[in-house]
Amino acid sequence: MEERKEARKARNEKIVNCLYQKPDAIFRLICFPWAGGGSTHFAKWGQKFHDLLEVHSIRLAGRETRTEEPFVTDINQAVDEIVCALLPLLQDKLFAFFGHSMGNYLAFMTARQLKEQYNLEPVHFFVSSATPPHSQPQIPDGKTLTEEEVKWSYMDFGGTPNCFLINSQEFQEYFLIFKADVHMLNTYNFDAPLKAVLSCDVTCIFGSEDKIISNLEGWKDITSGSFGMYHRQGGHFYLMEPSHEAFIQNHITKCLELSTISY
Ligand SMILES: CCCCCCCCCC(=O)SCCNC(=O)CCNC(=O)[C@H](O)C(C)(C)COP(=O)(O)OP(=O)(O)OC[C@H]1O[C@@H](n2cnc3c(N)ncnc32)[C@H](O)[C@@H]1OP(=O)(O)O
C-alpha cells in the first residue's frame, strides 16, 4: 500500500514540477508551458514569489525527466493525466492557473474537467499570449512540419535564443518536441462554448506587437467571472523581458491576495 502511494507520488512529480516547495503556502499556481517548451522555465518562478505561493509547472511526456515516455498524441489524454496528477494538490489549498500560448488550451481543458468531474475550480485563470479557444485559426498539421518551417516560426515567435537555432543537432530534439505538441494541438476541438464553463476571474496578458494572436476579448466568453486585459510592449514572448515577467508575477500576487477577501 505504502509502496503504491510512493509510486503514485513519484509519477505525479514527473508530470507536475515543483522546484521550490513552500509548506506554508496558501495558494498554488499551476503553470502550463507553450508548445515545444519544458517545465523548467515556469518552475523557476517559484523562487520569485513570496512564501504564500507555491509554483508548479506541467511537464508533458517526451521531455526532461519524461524523455523515455512517448509523446501524447491526443490532447484529452494529456488532460486526463494532468488532472490525475494535480488532484492531490488541489484539495487543500486555493489554486490558480497560468498558461502561455498553447499552455492555455491545456489549462482551459484541465479547468473544465476539474470543474465538471470534481467541482474544483481555480480562483483565477491567467491567460498569456493566446487566441481564445473558439477563435483559433487553422493550426498546421504537426506531423508534416519541417525543421526549416519550425526554425522560421521560432525566429518569428522570438522566444528562442539564436544559439539553439544554429546548432542543428540540438535543435533536432526541440523540433521533435514542438512537432509532437502541435500534433497534440491538432486534436483540440476549438468549438465555441455554448455557455460560460468557468466562474473564476480571467486575466489576459499579451505583447502589444504579437502578430500571432487575435480576438483576445473572446476569453471572457469562457467565464461568468470578471475579465481583465493587460498588455506589455513586445511580441509573442513579451514575458521573456524581466520587467514584464515581474509585472506578471506582481499582478498574480495582487489578484490572489484580493481573492482571499472573497473566499
Ligand atoms: C509553424 C507552426 C506553427 C504552429 C503554431 C501552433 C500554436 C503554437 C502555440 C505556441 O505555443 S507558440 C510557442 C512555440 N514555441 C517556441 O517558440 C519555443 C520557444 N523557445 C523555447 O522553448 C526554448 O528556447 C527552447 C527551444 C530552447 C526549449 O526550452 P526548454 O526550456 O524547454 O529547454 P531546456 O530545458 O533544454 O532548456 C535549455 C536551457 O536554455 C534556457 N533557455 C531556453 N530558452 C531561453 C530563452 N528564451 N531565454 C533565456 N534562456 C533560455 C533554459 O532556461 C535552459 O537553461 P538551463 O539549462 O540553465 O536551465
Side-chain angles (χ1 to χ4, degrees), residues 52-123:
L52 298 181
L53 196 149
E54 185 175 76
V55 177
H56 297 255
S57 182
I58 299 298
R59 182 189 287 125
L60 295 176
R63 68 209 73 193
E64 299 175 344
T65 55
R66 302 186 67 195
T67 312
E68 307 303 314
E69 297 178 47
F71 293 121
V72 166
T73 51
D74 182 328
I75 198 162
N76 293 293
Q77 187 194 336
V79 170
D80 286 347
E81 192 177 74
I82 293 168
V83 166
C84 193
L86 283 180
L87 272 177
L89 294 170
L90 307 182
Q91 319 274 352
D92 59 335
K93 292 184 185 180
L94 298 174
F95 64 96
F97 281 180
F98 175 90
H100 183 80
S101 199
M102 178 195 81
N104 289 290
Y105 307 121
L106 280 169
F108 174 56
M109 287 179 73
T110 302
R112 198 169 56 181
Q113 187 162 323
L114 282 168
K115 181 159 178 161
E116 283 170 6
Q117 294 182 7
Y118 302 96
N119 201 24
L120 289 168
E121 193 174 352
V123 289

Side-chain angles (χ1 to χ4, degrees), residues 33-41 44 63-64 100-103 105 129 136 138-142 145-146 149-150 152-161 163-165 170-171 173-175 177-178 181-182 185 212 236-237 240:
W34 53 81
S39 64
T40 316
H41 181 87
K44 285 181 184 168
R63 68 209 73 193
E64 299 175 344
H100 183 80
S101 199
M102 178 195 81
Y105 307 121
S129 299
Q136 184 66 46
Q138 196 67 31
I139 287 178
D141 182 356
L145 285 175
T146 66
E149 281 172 326
V150 173
W152 283 109
S153 299
Y154 270 26
M155 279 187 232
D156 258 4
F157 295 157
T160 310
C163 57
F164 291 101
L165 300 167
E170 197 173 0
F171 190 74
E173 202 180 307
Y174 295 121
F175 162 63
I177 293 174
F178 180 73
D181 286 352
V182 175
L185 207 49
I212 303 161
H236 198 59
F237 277 91
M240 290 296 179

Side-chain angles (χ1 to χ4, degrees), residues 17-22 29-32 34 39-51 53-57 97-100 126-128 205 238-242 244-253:
N17 183 5
C18 177
L19 290 177
Y20 301 92
Q21 287 173 11
K22 314 249 179 98
L29 178 71
I30 318 293
C31 299
F32 294 76
W34 53 81
S39 64
T40 316
H41 181 87
F42 291 122
K44 285 181 184 168
W45 276 17
Q47 200 178 19
K48 311 240 173 99
F49 285 99
H50 57 49
D51 285 348
L53 196 149
E54 185 175 76
V55 177
H56 297 255
S57 182
F97 281 180
F98 175 90
H100 183 80
F126 300 94
V127 173
S128 170
I205 314 171
Y238 71 97
L239 81 176
M240 290 296 179
E241 160 62 41
H244 299 339
E245 185 184 82
F247 169 84
I248 296 172
Q249 290 162 350
N250 288 337
H251 187 71
I252 290 174
T253 303

